[in-house]
Amino acid sequence: ILQMAILNPRLAVLDETDSGLDIDSMRIVADGVNKLKSKKNAVLLITHYQRLLNYIVPDYVHILMNGKIVKSEGKELALKVEEKGYDWLS
């Protein structure tokens, strides 16, 4: 997040940023991402957990399986996966 603030990239890829974070740290990270994202940049956030998406609300959710995007929708897709898992996609 510090690198995002300093470098101000047009595209930031955050791969499992929530890994190993407790709930307080996750909120701090999410707050930083939310402050830095704008209409002039994009953030690709890779996560396996809905909890982070409670703090960083996505514009789009894409599900990648076997190297291919198999489903794309709005933020509701993450909630559906949280409820049903991934089996319904196979």
Side-chain angles (χ1 to χ4, degrees):
I1 307 308
L2 178 61
Q3 286 179 330
M4 280 180 65
I6 292 171
L7 298 174
N8 193 27
R10 292 190 328 196
L11 171 64
V13 179
L14 304 176
D15 188 8
E16 297 191 38
T17 307
D18 50 344
S19 180
L21 297 180
D22 63 26
I23 191 67
D24 294 326
S25 298
M26 192 179 305
R27 286 182 184 148
I28 292 168
V29 167
D31 192 42
V33 171
N34 286 327
K35 286 179 182 174
L36 295 171
K37 70 178 187 168
S38 72
K39 292 184 182 207
K40 295 181 181 183
N41 65 21
V43 176
L44 175 61
L45 178 65
I46 301 164
T47 185
H48 291 96
Y49 302 106
Q50 169 62 38
R51 178 176 276 174
L52 184 60
L53 301 180
N54 291 335
Y55 304 112
I56 303 172
V57 179
D59 296 318
Y60 301 99
V61 173
H62 306 284
I63 297 177
L64 185 72
M65 295 177 98
N66 299 321
K68 295 182 181 183
I69 295 176
V70 296
K71 190 81 169 161
S72 295
E73 289 182 16
K75 63 183 177 184
E76 298 79 18
L77 180 56
L79 296 171
K80 192 173 186 179
V81 169
E82 179 73 13
E83 178 186 326
K84 295 183 174 189
Y86 291 99
D87 289 341
W88 64 277
L89 290 165
S90 344

